[in-house]
Amino acid sequence: MELYQGPLEVKEIFARWLDEEAASNYGAYIPFVGTIRAEDGIEALSFDIYEPILRSWFENWQERAKARGAIVKMAHSIGDVPVHTSSYVSAVFSPKRRVALELIEEFVEDFKANAPIWKYDIKEGKRIYAADRSTPMDGAGLLA
Amino acid sequence: MELYQGPLEVKEIFARWLDEEAASNYGAYIPFVGTIRAEDGIEALSFDIYEPILRSWFENWQERAKARGAIVKMAHSIGDVPVHTSSYVSAVFSPKRRVALELIEEFVEDFKANAPIWKYDIKEGKRIYAADRSTPMDGAGLLA
Amino acid sequence: MITVEFLGPIGKSPIEIEAKTLSDVAVKLKEDPQMAVWLDKCAVALNDTMVKDLGTVLKEGDRISILPPVCGG
Amino acid sequence: MITVEFLGPIGKSPIEIEAKTLSDVAVKLKEDPQMAVWLDKCAVALNDTMVKDLGTVLKEGDRISILPPVCGG
């Protein structure tokens, strides 16, 4: 798992992950690249991450992938990421395509729902929590 | 659609496609990279392609993707591709992740089932049709 | 005359035959023992468009392609 | 004493409270009007492990994290 201040170097990450697994005999490599869209007049998005829980979430996913003969990788930005640059790359490697196609979907969807990352719009220099696009994590409301 | 003799330059293709759509305001980019696995003592796989029907298949997919606000790209090898190198890269770009995740799966699965490409194992220099891993296309058996 | 070509691993040279419909093509190809093992697994294109109707009418110069099971990727 | 920290956009400094179970933490946090709007949407971690049982027993030095709705990617 890789965390970076600001936008991701997507090409470098894609190429390095490819090289890391060049001799691992995986038949399918599916990266997912998330890029900041220009919309609603935003200049950038900005991210807070709670790293200890993100690490355990990711370690749990490594186990889930391993049980299916696959591996997962991910990189995410901390702080400001301007429009048309990328804040998120995740990937699955697996021997066969079916597992890779299933896992990338599950991995990305669970990431959106349960990775402890908070998103803010940057508009006119102000940092505004993206409340309407955020999802309560599994188990939310316990103390209510 | 890009066809190449021999293995694909995967990093170049990934990076070029990223650059091509850098200003298109897509939020999700999902490539699928297919790499030749070392198994059953093969030295390489080899591919025949019937290009006119592959082109119409791909043009039909561009329309299907466009109807959902997305685009698809693909590259494939012709001829011999040694183990641990790549013969196939396809990709979806779309504004949002759900459409991208759904399309990459449909696109890759339909490719496996209906792209007019024939695969051969290369073993001890011989080219052997991969009959057991091949799928009759939609409408097969019409003349039987 | 129409042309019938055999793609990928079939390994048979194109042939020229007389045929008014795809049914006529089927009759001709079944006479060839080399083709009998392929026909139930093969799809068919007419002038590079996939076809699924045996009644499809053919005209002089048409080109039929026989497509065996595929495995790209 | 246990520590309660508020992650992401909640924008509240950590507090120290006395609590024997998570239920006690819930009671304390509901007293704070600033927190009332957050609690029904927030998940909870104990020493960086997600917890889902209000009866969870706490010990001296434990650290509770309050996690508001997320949106990575």
Side-chain angles (χ1 to χ4, degrees):
Chain A
M1 193 185 90
E2 306 168 19
L3 301 178
Y4 298 91
Q5 288 291 333
L8 300 182
E9 296 287 344
V10 174
K11 295 174 191 174
E12 185 276 327
I13 291 168
F14 172 87
R16 183 163 41 78
W17 290 354
L18 185 74
D19 289 342
E20 283 170 10
E21 306 305 331
S24 309
N25 212 26
Y26 292 120
Y29 171 26
I30 311 182
F32 177 103
V33 180
T35 298
I36 312 298
R37 303 188 68 213
E39 57 186 351
D40 302 328
I42 63 165
E43 295 140 28
L45 294 180
S46 190
F47 298 90
D48 288 342
I49 290 184
Y50 187 61
E51 194 170 330
I53 291 178
L54 183 60
R55 290 213 175 267
S56 8
W57 176 87
F58 181 70
E59 279 157 24
N60 180 261
W61 260 101
Q62 284 179 305
E63 294 302 312
R64 286 174 68 171
K66 193 177 176 185
R68 296 166 76 174
I71 60 166
V72 289
K73 295 179 189 262
M74 75 163 269
H76 203 285
S77 297
I78 299 170
D80 292 6
V81 185
V83 296
H84 295 168
T85 66
S86 299
S87 53
Y88 173 48
V89 185
S90 61
V92 173
F93 287 83
S94 94
K96 302 280 186 182
R97 81 176 183 289
R98 275 310 317 158
V99 166
L101 286 165
E102 289 163 16
L103 272 182
I104 192 68
E105 173 161 8
E106 295 169 30
F107 184 46
V108 169
E109 291 297 339
D110 191 51
F111 172 84
K112 295 296 287 188
N114 285 303
I117 301 181
W118 297 278
K119 179 181 285 179
Y120 305 81
D121 291 334
I122 305 286
K123 278 186 180 179
E124 298 172 2
K126 281 191 197 130
R127 197 171 192 250
I128 307 150
Y129 175 51
D132 54 333
R133 283 118 72 201
S134 298
T135 310
M137 297 170 78
D138 286 351
L142 183 65
L143 302 186
Chain B
M1 192 184 91
E2 307 169 18
L3 301 177
Y4 298 91
Q5 289 291 332
L8 301 182
E9 297 287 344
V10 174
K11 294 174 191 173
E12 185 277 327
I13 291 167
F14 172 88
R16 182 163 42 78
W17 290 354
L18 186 75
D19 288 343
E20 283 170 10
E21 306 305 331
S24 308
N25 211 27
Y26 291 120
Y29 170 25
I30 310 182
F32 177 104
V33 180
T35 298
I36 312 298
R37 303 188 68 211
E39 58 185 350
D40 301 328
I42 63 166
E43 295 140 27
L45 294 180
S46 190
F47 299 91
D48 289 342
I49 291 184
Y50 187 61
E51 193 170 331
I53 291 177
L54 183 60
R55 289 212 177 269
S56 4
W57 176 88
F58 182 70
E59 278 158 23
N60 180 260
W61 260 102
Q62 284 179 303
E63 294 301 314
R64 287 174 67 172
K66 194 177 175 183
R68 295 165 77 175
I71 61 165
V72 290
K73 296 181 189 261
M74 75 165 268
H76 203 284
S77 297
I78 299 170
D80 293 5
V81 185
V83 296
H84 294 169
T85 65
S86 299
S87 53
Y88 173 48
V89 186
S90 61
V92 173
F93 288 83
S94 93
K96 301 280 185 181
R97 82 176 183 287
R98 274 312 314 159
V99 166
L101 286 165
E102 288 163 15
L103 272 182
I104 191 68
E105 173 161 10
E106 294 169 30
F107 184 46
V108 169
E109 291 296 338
D110 191 51
F111 173 84
K112 296 296 287 188
N114 286 304
I117 302 182
W118 297 279
K119 178 180 284 179
Y120 306 80
D121 291 334
I122 304 287
K123 279 186 182 180
E124 297 171 4
K126 283 190 197 131
R127 196 170 193 253
I128 307 149
Y129 174 51
D132 54 333
R133 283 117 72 201
S134 298
T135 310
M137 297 171 76
D138 285 352
L142 184 65
L143 302 184
Chain C
M1 297 290 270
I2 65 142
T3 303
V4 183
E5 61 181 15
F6 303 91
L7 300 181
I10 300 177
K12 181 179 163 70
S13 300
I15 58 174
E16 303 228 313
I17 60 174
E18 298 286 353
K20 290 197 160 48
T21 66
L22 275 183
S23 284
D24 298 342
V25 177
V27 169
K28 288 271 164 57
L29 293 184
K30 283 184 215 171
E31 293 169 359
D32 177 352
Q34 186 195 342
M35 282 310 298
V37 296
W38 284 105
L39 286 181
D40 64 333
K41 296 175 293 212
C42 285
V44 181
L46 168 59
N47 302 326
D48 294 335
T49 298
M50 304 303 292
V51 284
K52 296 185 180 174
D53 179 359
L54 261 188
T56 304
V57 174
L58 305 174
K59 62 179 193 307
E60 182 65 25
D62 274 351
R63 189 169 44 83
I64 301 288
S65 306
I66 307 297
L67 298 100
V70 296
C71 188
Chain D
M1 296 290 270
I2 66 145
T3 303
V4 184
E5 60 180 16
F6 304 90
L7 300 181
I10 300 178
K12 181 178 164 71
S13 302
I15 57 173
E16 302 229 315
I17 60 174
E18 298 286 353
K20 291 197 159 48
T21 67
L22 275 182
S23 284
D24 297 342
V25 177
V27 169
K28 288 271 164 58
L29 293 185
K30 283 185 217 171
E31 292 170 359
D32 176 353
Q34 186 196 342
M35 282 309 298
V37 295
W38 285 105
L39 285 182
D40 65 334
K41 296 175 292 212
C42 284
V44 182
L46 168 60
N47 302 326
D48 294 335
T49 299
M50 304 303 292
V51 284
K52 296 185 181 176
D53 179 0
L54 261 190
T56 303
V57 174
L58 304 175
K59 61 179 194 306
E60 181 65 25
D62 275 348
R63 190 169 43 84
I64 301 289
S65 306
I66 306 298
L67 296 100
V70 296
C71 187

